[in-house]
Amino acid sequence: MAQMYVKSQNKNSKSEAYNKWFLRAVYPKKAIGTAEIADFIQSQASVKRSDVIAVLNELGGALNHYLLLGERVQLKDIGSFKVGFSSIGVSSSDDATAQNIYSVRVLFQPETVRTAQTPTRSEETGEIIRHYSTTKKMIEGITFEETHENAVTSPAPTPPQP
């Protein structure tokens, strides 16, 4: 299944983009949960579903532990998690303290893959020019499809066959 979207017109008259049309992602009414992820992983590996659920349940605690220590956590083929925050600006370095932090969040950066594209030759110099693209590994190959619903009703996901 593709990533579904709807067309949406900006109706905010104070916006520079007033009356312009945008695409907005829509998602199934029910999110994929731990159980579905565990079923998928079990179908791909030689690990029992109960073991997968135990590990997934501990993942949140492990992330919390290392983020509280100020660490960046990098998970292979997934990406990196770190703490981000916003603070108010002050005039003096002495006034810049942790008290000025007003918003804390977890930042996620998906793992990327650098892929070589077909080389071309410069018309001016004759040199071979190598082109590369960077793809977020988790969404490589994604397709898009228009829908007319604000929430998509999707069939129950089925794990891929080995």
Side-chain angles (χ1 to χ4, degrees), residues 50-158:
S50 59
D51 295 331
V52 174
I53 288 176
V55 170
L56 290 173
N57 286 337
E58 293 302 321
L59 178 60
L63 283 171
N64 176 254
H65 171 79
Y66 287 106
L67 294 176
L68 287 174
L69 294 173
E71 299 284 347
R72 183 173 61 96
V73 178
Q74 186 168 354
L75 300 177
K76 183 180 183 302
D77 294 337
I78 295 175
S80 298
F81 298 84
K82 62 184 178 181
V83 172
F85 57 86
S86 298
S87 67
I88 59 172
V90 292
S91 336
S92 117
S93 172
D94 291 338
D95 293 335
T97 68
Q99 303 301 320
N100 299 2
I101 295 172
Y102 65 87
S103 173
V104 180
R105 60 200 164 276
V106 174
L107 301 176
F108 171 67
Q109 175 64 50
E111 186 171 305
T112 58
V113 176
R114 187 171 184 230
T115 308
Q117 304 300 314
T118 305
T120 58
R121 193 172 290 278
S122 168
E123 291 181 18
E124 296 170 4
T125 65
E127 281 183 69
I128 293 178
I129 303 170
R130 289 189 165 59
H131 299 278
Y132 296 92
S133 67
T134 302
T135 306
K136 291 178 176 53
K137 197 168 186 178
M138 290 176 32
I139 58 172
E140 190 173 21
I142 194 167
T143 60
F144 298 90
E145 186 177 323
E146 183 179 1
T147 184
H148 300 287
E149 300 179 35
N150 285 330
V152 178
T153 305
S154 62
T158 54

